[in-house]
Amino acid sequence: MIQCRNMMRLHEQSSGLSVWYERLARAAFYVMVFLVPLAYFPWTSDPLEFNKQTLVLVFTSVSVIAWLGLMVARKSFVVKPSGSFVVLGAFLISTIVSSFFSISPYISWIGHSQQEYTSFLTLLSLCLILVIGSTFLSETATQKNIWILLLLSSAVIGTSVCLGAFGLPLLATAFIGTPNALGFYLVAMASMACGLLLICGRGDRDHVMLEGFFGWVLRASAIVTIISALLVMMMLDYWLLWVALIIGLIATFAFTLIKTEEFPSTSSFILPMVLLVCSLVFLPLSTPFVGRIPSEVSPTYSASWNIAKETLTNSSWLF
């Protein structure tokens, strides 16, 4: 009898630890999703990239520890298998090989000022985020929280950049590295925001979208993100950004055409359709706001290819 009670007590403690580890992993993801895009510490030598890499490493480490603790508490291997893990593994192995034969080992393994995102350490963290996220972020309720945090941060960034471009700066930063990197970030967020606005028109939106106050916050953040993304793209006027946005919007509309019965409301298509029309119009034409954000000066694609080819020819045994 005593042994049975002890077994039950251990089982309850194990269940309690499992819940705690799961909550810790989710909390780390929530904080990382919201803070990493907004990370800007002007008192450091590298206000953006180094700080973002540090936050990614810290919160990824917390998630990995929680993941390992969950497996110990449950006494089982906790992961949802996916075919994409094979691609991730191959990509990570190729990065290891590339870093091992690199002529600048520290930069390849750890990273350097404004090049942290290319390092093996950062890529390893991102791969771990995908693997662990597939386990802890599969529930709809968790995904709702991720959506609102992503769009909140993108709305703050887009608003700050647009106000600064029109003479009302909040902070002397664009938050996302180079101007073109900022543009691609807002393109991705605007495409996701368009998809969420289309979902708002579905009959089962209460199941998919957040309800009440947070639902309105999500919708407002999506609208602000779309408008600010359009303004930033008009100020940058980079053709590749327009092409990326067109591809994202066409993919979104293609999904709605396949599942037309699930999107009965046409009003939710207005803003995404306006964004698509603007992209098609301004792709060949100049925009009225061009130049308000400094353009990014970089080598052409042909020059970049020639530099990379010459570097590999001179320093790699494969070429």
Side-chain angles (χ1 to χ4, degrees):
M1 180 68 70
I2 295 175
Q3 185 177 4
C4 183
R5 289 178 180 176
N6 290 336
M7 293 277 293
M8 292 177 62
R9 191 175 302 154
L10 287 173
H11 178 72
E12 291 175 357
Q13 291 177 352
S14 176
S15 299
L17 283 174
S18 298
V19 173
W20 189 85
Y21 283 129
E22 202 166 339
R23 289 177 178 175
L24 178 62
R26 286 200 178 99
F29 268 93
Y30 291 157
V31 178
M32 179 173 59
V33 163
F34 181 71
L35 283 186
V36 169
L38 293 172
Y40 170 67
F41 304 132
W43 57 87
T44 60
S45 59
D46 188 354
L48 289 177
E49 278 81 0
F50 176 76
N51 300 308
K52 292 181 187 296
Q53 184 197 41
T54 302
L55 289 177
V56 169
L57 294 176
V58 168
F59 291 115
T60 302
S61 300
V62 172
S63 299
V64 170
I65 292 172
W67 181 45
L68 295 175
L70 179 64
M71 288 192 288
V72 171
R74 292 184 179 178
K75 296 182 176 61
S76 62
F77 186 69
V78 182
V79 68
K80 291 188 175 181
S82 172
S84 61
F85 293 167
V86 177
V87 179
L88 287 178
F91 175 69
L92 205 57
I93 291 172
S94 66
T95 307
I96 293 173
V97 173
S98 175
S99 301
F100 185 79
F101 291 102
S102 173
I103 59 176
S104 300
Y106 182 83
I107 296 177
S108 297
W109 290 104
I110 308 299
H112 190 55
S113 178
Q114 299 184 352
Q115 296 292 326
E116 290 85 358
Y117 61 91
T118 62
S119 68
F120 168 77
L121 189 60
T122 301
L123 295 176
L124 175 62
S125 299
L126 295 177
C127 289
L128 288 173
I129 288 171
L130 290 174
V131 173
I132 301 174
S134 66
T135 302
F136 291 106
L137 307 182
S138 58
E139 296 180 2
T140 303
T142 305
Q143 293 169 2
K144 291 178 182 179
N145 297 330
I146 294 293
W147 293 337
I148 192 171
L149 291 171
L150 281 171
L151 289 176
L152 269 176
S153 59
S154 64
V156 170
I157 291 171
T159 302
S160 176
V161 171
C162 290
L163 289 176
F166 288 98
L168 298 170
L170 297 179
L171 288 173
T173 180
F175 293 99
I176 310 291
T178 63
N180 288 347
L182 170 67
F184 281 112
Y185 166 76
L186 289 177
V187 164
M189 292 297 101
S191 299
M192 186 183 74
C194 289
L196 290 175
L197 288 180
L198 293 178
I199 292 174
C200 290
R202 292 175 56 179
D204 64 339
R205 63 182 180 274
D206 291 336
H207 173 67
V208 178
M209 297 293 291
L210 287 166
E211 301 176 5
F213 172 75
F214 290 106
W216 285 108
V217 170
L218 178 59
R219 291 168 175 82
S221 299
I223 293 172
V224 171
T225 297
I226 292 172
I227 295 173
S228 61
L230 179 59
L231 289 174
V232 168
M233 291 178 65
M234 292 174 70
M235 287 183 269
L236 291 174
D237 197 21
Y238 181 33
W239 68 271
L240 199 56
L241 293 174
W242 295 118
V243 171
L245 183 59
I246 290 171
I247 292 173
L249 292 174
I250 289 177
T252 302
F253 287 131
F255 177 78
T256 61
L257 290 175
I258 295 172
K259 300 284 187 179
T260 53
E261 69 280 358
E262 297 189 18
F263 299 91
S265 175
T266 56
S267 60
S268 59
F269 285 78
I270 295 176
L271 193 54
M273 189 60 70
V274 169
L275 191 60
L276 179 60
V277 171
C278 289
S279 301
L280 293 172
V281 170
F282 290 124
L283 177 59
L285 302 177
S286 297
T287 62
F289 300 136
V290 63
R292 286 186 175 269
I293 295 179
S295 300
E296 181 180 343
V297 179
S298 59
T300 62
Y301 292 111
S302 59
S304 299
W305 170 250
N306 290 331
I307 292 171
K309 186 169 59 174
E310 184 177 352
T311 303
L312 290 172
T313 301
N314 295 334
S315 59
S316 175
W317 60 272
L318 294 176
F319 290 86

